[in-house]
Amino acid sequence: MKAYERNIRRVEPYVPGEQPQRKVIKLNTNENPYPPAPGVRRALERMDTDRLRLYPDPEASALTEALADYYGVGKDQVFVGVGSDDVLSMCFLTFFNSEKPVLFPDITYSFYKVWAELYRIPYECQELDGNFCIEKEDYYKENGGVIFPNPNAPTGIYETLEFVEDIVSHNQEVIVIVDEAYIDFAGKSAMELLEKYENLIVVQTFSKARSMAGMRIGYAVASPALIRHLNDVKYSFNSYTMNQTSLVCGVEAVKDKAYFEQTVKRIVDTREWAAEQFGKLGFVCLDSGANFLFVTHPEHDARELFEALKEAGIYVRYWGSRRIEQYLRVTVGTREEMETLFEFLKHKLSR
């Protein structure tokens, strides 16, 4: 080993879902199958490209104001970043600096472990129970912070607001982050708890329900003090994280509440129908509060199904990790895409 190699930071990176360059039925990365709000297209068409020669607003004022109005909070309670991954990473860097371990589930968004190792943050994974649910009592012990998704990923299981509050109330001496990437397909948001708990941070994204994964917009809502700390860290190394185009389009997406609600309903309706279809084919399907389904078949190997689907041009997600090696995560696509999936599975399973 060369001398300089001893000082290179090495981590096991997050592995994103495949982004095939050919036309396929893409049900592997939880993207929304419907286009963004019509106002987004109009904003792009009328955008003054001369603005692109200028740096964007470092405070992302128009977008933070739109989000603040939408949620009924102060502008100083909103922080935006390049996708919720950027926001969450910034939260890890800003708030998890204790020598005590940060707690998060063992089966969850795998980026949590990556960020913890990248920033040298001690952590402990708390095992989900036999039904893949969080055991809230596991988060009562002393720790350096808590983070969990609700609904969880890749399981899709949603916990009630009362459940979430129980965890927050037992951890008022540390920062608690609730990652709500899929909350719009589920139930009540932890944002309802923000006035009561000054240590709570709620993170959401435009990538799922708002159909803008390609724009990379995420945000956190918290107390003004916590948002100030996030901005201090952000401005320490990159003041211009949000580009001009994302800021303009993000505002238009927030404005169109009717389109947003219509799209969410279409996905939820398709999700419930798809869960029934999986059941008819003999799959076991976890109750989902997200825009995906987590499924297993007692008589068919998950890897073999994954490979067969991929060969047929239908992409789903497979990990092969401990405890979930026989599960597939299937994004809810359009009704037509899901019908094609089920036609293939009927043929495959009947052989």
Side-chain angles (χ1 to χ4, degrees):
M1 179 181 289
K2 296 178 180 178
Y4 66 81
E5 291 182 304
R6 289 193 292 270
N7 297 314
I8 295 175
R9 180 163 295 190
R10 291 177 172 83
V11 295
E12 185 175 339
Y14 171 76
V15 180
E18 293 179 77
Q19 295 289 344
Q21 300 305 304
R22 61 191 178 97
K23 186 173 177 58
V24 300
I25 294 178
K26 192 169 181 299
L27 308 175
N28 65 328
T29 51
N30 302 338
E31 293 137 325
N32 195 312
Y34 304 108
V40 173
R41 175 185 289 273
R42 292 194 295 269
L44 287 171
E45 290 173 347
R46 65 173 182 259
M47 186 172 181
D48 180 6
T49 56
D50 186 57
R51 292 176 60 183
L52 299 182
R53 67 182 178 81
L54 304 173
Y55 284 112
D57 173 12
E59 296 183 356
S61 298
L63 182 55
T64 55
E65 287 174 5
L67 287 166
D69 289 344
Y70 185 86
Y71 290 110
V73 298
K75 180 188 172 184
D76 59 355
Q77 289 184 257
V78 181
F79 174 90
V80 299
V82 186
S84 59
D85 288 340
D86 179 43
V87 175
L88 289 165
S89 175
M90 201 76 66
C91 287
F92 269 67
L93 187 61
T94 305
F95 300 114
F96 294 158
N97 293 295
S98 165
E99 295 180 356
K100 299 171 186 175
V102 172
L103 307 181
F104 49 83
D106 66 327
I107 300 173
T108 194
Y109 189 31
S110 52
F111 235 139
Y112 299 161
K113 187 179 292 187
V114 174
W115 289 319
E117 293 179 353
L118 177 64
Y119 299 136
R120 303 293 191 261
I121 299 168
Y123 67 91
E124 288 181 5
C125 296
Q126 311 304 301
E127 281 206 4
L128 301 181
D129 68 15
N131 296 314
F132 295 114
C133 293
I134 291 173
E135 295 267 23
K136 61 184 179 181
E137 293 79 11
D138 290 342
Y139 297 83
Y140 292 176
K141 60 188 175 183
E142 191 174 13
N143 62 74
V146 173
I147 181 170
F148 61 94
N150 193 39
N152 196 4
T155 64
I157 293 175
Y158 168 75
E159 301 292 355
T160 66
L161 187 61
E162 292 74 22
F163 183 100
V164 172
E165 181 170 11
D166 186 87
I167 292 178
V168 178
S169 67
H170 280 85
N171 290 279
Q172 296 185 55
E173 299 303 314
V174 298
I175 296 297
V176 179
I177 302 171
V178 183
D179 180 0
E180 293 188 337
Y182 304 99
I183 194 65
D184 299 303
F185 307 105
K188 290 184 177 181
S189 166
M191 286 198 197
E192 294 187 24
L193 304 175
L194 287 171
E195 288 188 8
K196 190 173 180 181
Y197 299 99
E198 62 181 14
N199 63 314
L200 174 63
I201 302 174
V202 180
V203 177
Q204 295 190 12
T205 179
F206 280 49
S207 296
K208 316 302 180 187
R210 296 195 183 277
S211 307
M212 294 177 68
M215 278 289 179
R216 311 308 301 126
I217 304 173
Y219 54 99
V221 183
S223 70
L226 296 186
I227 297 302
R228 281 197 301 275
H229 291 307
L230 276 172
N231 277 315
D232 286 347
V233 173
K234 167 190 169 181
Y235 294 142
S236 296
F237 66 91
N238 187 353
S239 299
Y240 304 106
T241 56
M242 297 295 298
N243 66 69
Q244 296 275 28
T245 307
S246 293
L247 291 173
V248 170
C249 292
V251 170
E252 292 303 320
V254 175
K255 284 181 181 178
D256 199 336
K257 185 177 181 181
Y259 181 85
F260 167 72
E261 292 176 347
Q262 177 188 25
T263 302
V264 168
K265 185 179 186 306
R266 292 177 73 181
I267 292 172
V268 170
D269 289 347
T270 304
R271 181 188 72 197
E272 299 310 303
W273 170 82
E276 292 179 6
Q277 302 309 305
F278 274 120
K280 291 176 181 178
L281 292 175
F283 284 87
V284 176
C285 182
L286 299 188
D287 288 338
S288 176
N291 67 335
F292 59 82
L293 294 163
F294 201 51
V295 302
T296 184
H297 199 294
E299 299 175 7
H300 294 271
D301 182 72
R303 179 183 285 277
E304 290 182 10
L305 288 175
F306 167 76
E307 296 292 352
L309 285 163
K310 185 175 179 180
E311 183 67 23
I314 303 172
Y315 280 55
V316 299
R317 194 76 189 267
Y318 171 75
W319 284 272
S321 305
R322 187 181 77 86
R323 298 182 68 196
I324 59 171
E325 63 271 8
Q326 287 302 319
Y327 281 82
L328 299 174
R329 192 192 68 189
V330 182
T331 302
V332 177
T334 64
R335 179 68 174 248
E336 294 73 23
E337 288 174 328
M338 302 306 286
E339 287 173 347
T340 302
L341 166 72
F342 290 122
E343 281 301 314
F344 175 84
L345 288 174
K346 288 176 186 176
H347 179 71
K348 172 70 177 174
L349 300 181
S350 64
R351 292 179 183 176

